[in-house]
Every structure is written in C-alpha cells, then in structure tokens.
Amino acid sequence: MRISELSERSGVPIPTIKFYIREGMLPRGEASAATRAVYGDEHVARLRLIAALTQVAGLPLARVREVLEVIDAPPTDPIEAIGRAIGALPPYVDDDGDLSRARAAIEALGLTFDPRFTAVAQLESAIRALEAAGLPSDPETLRRYGDAMMQVAAGEVAPVESMDTADAVEYAVLGTALYEPVMLALRRLAHQHRMVEGPPTPGR
C-alpha cells in the first residue's frame, strides 16, 4: 500500500507517519520508485501500537521509543525484556535507593523481589504515601490487594508462554497500559455497588 492508504487504514496523518519514520519509530517502506515506497500490514500494526501508547496510555514519545527499542531488539531473557518495557510505563517515581518498605511487603506476600523492576520503586512510593496520609499499609491490608492481583496476573501471564519475546513484550505493554484503567474503573464500580447493595449475605 502507498502512504496515503497507510494513513487511511491506521488513522494517522501522513505528516505524523513521516515523522515516525524519520525518528526511527516506524520502519521505512520498501522502495518502489525513486520517491515512492510500499508499506505492509506490519506498518499498520506498528502505527496502531504507537497510537495506543501515546493517545490512550498517554506515554511521551521518549518512553514510546524505549518500548519500541525493546520490541525491535529484545534481550534474550524474556523476563528482562518485559521488565524493561514495562518500566517505560507510568507512574514515574524517583528511586532514592531505599526500598525497605517495598521489600518487606513483597517478601511478606511471597513475591519475587528484584530492585531492577520499576514496580518495586512504585510500590515503595505508594506505601510511603499511605503512611504520610495516615492510611493503613500493614501486611493484612497489602495481602488483600496482593491476593487479588495474583489471581488477575495468573490469567494475564498464561498466554505469554506461547509467544516469542517481541510478541510477549508488546502483549505485556499493551495489556498493562490498557487494562489498568479497566481495573481501576471496575474497582470504583465495585465500591459503588457495595455501598448501594450493602455487604454480601452468607451464601450469596
């Protein structure tokens, strides 16, 4: 397809497509003439990925570039590859090196503590914020959230086992970026439902 059709199919304006090509975020098309190139379905897929990350997830271009670099040249270890790509997603927190609260919580939950994974620093920041606000962050409270997330994670991670590293990275990044708003919305709807319906009765 020509660039005009690529623009039409992807919904991305031609000047934006040319910008992504110049920035190395979108591969060049196959030259068909001195001033023409042909594009394929892989270009449509890449543009949709970029749109999902920039428009829906709200990532700045520098972070999108990080994700694309991991997809295009992933480390041999898929866990490292996914960790690096997920690290480009918000929230962005300052890591001062003190991860003691997060480490204690992670170990109490029986999870894997790896200080290189950005979620560790994110958890540390979140626990500090709870403490500053006077809200509970005790093991029992964190266990309630941890157990719920383990159930969610089991279903989300299962398909990754049959994917190659590049596909697994893309799946993990999009799944994290686009399903987290769903999780947040459902949590708030559950709160509303509980307030309207009251506590569950035994046997229901």
Side-chain angles (χ1 to χ4, degrees):
M1 73 187 84
R2 297 178 61 180
I3 195 169
S4 56
E5 185 181 352
L6 177 62
S7 174
E8 183 178 349
R9 285 186 56 186
S10 65
V12 178
I14 291 176
T16 304
I17 292 175
K18 292 181 176 179
F19 170 78
Y20 290 152
I21 292 173
R22 287 197 306 271
E23 293 295 308
M25 300 170 67
L26 181 70
R28 295 184 180 277
E30 183 179 347
S32 61
T35 58
R36 292 183 182 178
V38 176
Y39 301 88
D41 290 340
E42 67 275 13
H43 293 88
V44 178
R46 173 57 66 96
L47 287 171
R48 287 175 176 167
L49 170 61
I50 294 172
L53 295 176
T54 56
Q55 298 171 18
V56 181
L59 268 66
L61 284 181
R63 297 288 186 169
V64 174
R65 220 178 259 112
E66 291 180 32
V67 173
L68 297 179
E69 287 172 357
V70 176
I71 291 174
D72 292 338
T76 54
D77 180 0
I79 296 176
E80 179 187 351
I82 291 173
R84 280 178 50 188
I86 294 296
L89 302 179
Y92 307 122
V93 300
D94 293 328
D95 180 3
D96 61 8
D98 179 8
L99 301 173
S100 56
R101 297 169 181 79
R103 180 167 196 154
I106 289 168
E107 291 179 348
L109 291 169
L111 302 178
T112 302
F113 175 78
D114 183 346
R116 297 172 300 172
F117 195 55
T118 55
V120 176
Q122 291 165 354
L123 179 60
E124 178 72 26
S125 177
I127 293 174
R128 291 184 191 184
L130 288 171
E131 292 176 350
L135 293 174
S137 60
D138 56 277
E140 182 179 353
T141 298
L142 296 180
R143 168 70 62 185
R144 185 169 70 246
Y145 291 97
D147 288 348
M149 291 303 98
M150 282 298 292
Q151 184 175 353
V152 171
E156 292 180 334
V157 171
V160 173
E161 297 177 359
S162 60
M163 298 179 183
D164 62 30
T165 302
D167 288 342
V169 169
E170 184 171 338
Y171 169 85
V173 168
L174 285 178
T176 301
L178 303 184
Y179 275 111
E180 283 186 348
V182 175
M183 292 167 62
L184 176 60
L186 289 174
R187 177 173 180 254
R188 293 177 179 180
L189 287 167
H191 288 169
Q192 185 223 22
H193 178 76
R194 283 296 182 212
M195 288 187 288
V196 170
E197 296 293 325
T201 55
R204 288 185 60 186

